[in-house]
Amino acid sequence: MSVQKSWSELQTMARAARLVIETLDLLEAAAVPGATTGDLDRIAQENIEKAGARPAFLGYRGFPATLCASVNEEVVHGIPGSRKLREGDIVGLDLGCILDGFFGDSARTVAVGQVSPEAESLMTATRGALLAGVEVCRPGQRVGDIGHAVQSHAESRGYSVVREFVGHGIGTSLHEEPQVPNYGPPGRRERLVPGMCLAIEPMVNAGVPDVEVLGDGWTAVTKDRRLSAHFEYAVAVTAYGPWILSEPYPYAELEAEAAHA
Ligand code: MG
Ligand code: MG
């Protein structure tokens, strides 16, 4: 069971989540043909440290960078370096920070220049699968309902979901209980309660769901080398519904109404 966060803890979680999103905005703008994934990593580290936070992935189990940058058939955990982005690439940007003791963790896949309709469609479906999962984050639902919603969305569009990597609880640790798979039957696993914070992060493949890890020990690629996309938000379960922590709290009016009813 993930730790239920207090209101003030959620405020700190939200600041960490916003810093990650603001940094991803900078990286998306910088992901142009000719830029290297190492360039993006430097921008990420500088922006996080400028805000008084620290990179969450740098040194995590020995990961050597601030950013995970996963190009085309790379699913997750790509190591930034001298690789130059090319027109038509898609690049998954996964970034975490720790701010005042709480973690932010978010990912998005972005287009480098003009990309194929197939790549656009995969990215749209993956982001849609994430939002379908977020929508389920309400008290009384179960963790399995999230995975079921994600999988249904992706597969109904002809794609497959990766099984080897999962979403997770998030808070004072980067990875807390429970695990949040992107697949499986509804009605199973932990029940969602207000104050739970979950990082939901579908990885969706154009072809087969299978992945393998390259010789660097980190970079996961699709077994068939077809494209993969990855989107992630940290979400709080509230009494009123899901709160994507990088967005303004959406239920202030509802709360005020309830208080005066
Ligand atoms: Mg992440
Ligand atoms: Mg994560």
Side-chain angles (χ1 to χ4, degrees):
M1 173 61 68
S2 97
V3 180
Q4 289 170 248
K5 277 76 178 176
S6 70
W7 178 247
S8 79
E9 289 170 335
L10 291 179
Q11 300 299 314
T12 309
M13 292 282 295
R15 285 194 294 119
R18 278 196 293 272
L19 175 58
V20 171
I21 292 291
E22 287 162 12
T23 309
L24 287 175
D25 289 344
L26 293 179
L27 301 182
E28 181 167 3
V32 296
T36 70
T37 52
D39 294 335
L40 302 184
D41 184 59
R42 277 187 291 280
I43 294 169
Q45 182 165 356
E46 281 173 15
N47 199 61
I48 285 172
E49 290 178 347
K50 196 178 69 183
R54 282 185 293 118
F57 304 163
L58 184 63
Y60 182 84
R61 296 185 177 171
F63 189 77
T66 293
L67 177 71
C68 294
S70 307
V71 182
N72 296 335
E73 77 280 4
E74 296 174 355
V75 178
V76 284
H77 303 163
I79 300 173
S82 58
R83 179 175 185 162
K84 275 195 166 74
L85 297 174
R86 301 194 313 184
E87 179 88 21
D89 283 343
I90 61 172
V91 54
L93 306 170
D94 189 359
L95 184 66
C97 77
I98 177 165
L99 179 63
D100 294 339
F102 285 86
F103 282 83
D105 184 12
S106 187
R108 74 173 71 141
T109 299
V110 305
V112 180
Q114 192 70 34
V115 302
S116 69
E118 291 77 15
E120 281 290 356
S121 162
L122 175 67
M123 291 191 290
T124 300
T126 310
R127 188 173 151 71
L130 168 59
L131 296 177
V134 167
E135 189 50 39
V136 172
C137 291
R138 299 167 185 279
Q141 302 285 93
R142 288 181 179 271
V143 168
D145 298 323
I146 299 172
H148 182 72
V150 167
Q151 180 178 24
S152 300
H153 188 97
E155 291 185 351
S156 71
R157 282 150 182 84
Y159 300 117
S160 65
V161 295
V162 171
R163 269 72 163 170
E164 280 84 348
F165 305 102
V166 297
H168 49 92
I170 183 168
T172 53
S173 302
L174 178 59
H175 296 128
E176 298 184 350
E177 291 296 310
Q179 294 197 350
V180 185
N182 295 301
Y183 64 95
R188 306 278 177 85
R189 308 180 78 99
E190 296 83 350
R191 201 176 283 282
L192 304 184
V193 294
M196 253 179 152
C197 293
L198 302 173
I200 303 175
E201 51 176 316
M203 289 138 266
V204 175
N205 294 352
V208 298
D210 311 77
V211 303
E212 57 192 26
V213 176
L214 297 182
D216 62 18
W218 281 104
T219 312
V221 299
T222 54
K223 203 146 205 173
D224 59 9
R225 301 301 192 267
R226 292 183 66 189
L227 294 178
S228 186
H230 179 209
F231 285 81
E232 176 180 23
Y233 279 136
V235 180
V237 179
T238 82
Y240 296 95
W243 174 18
I244 296 172
L245 282 161
S246 44
E247 294 182 1
Y249 178 68
Y251 305 115
E253 272 185 37
L254 270 177
E255 256 183 9
E257 280 173 27
H260 291 95

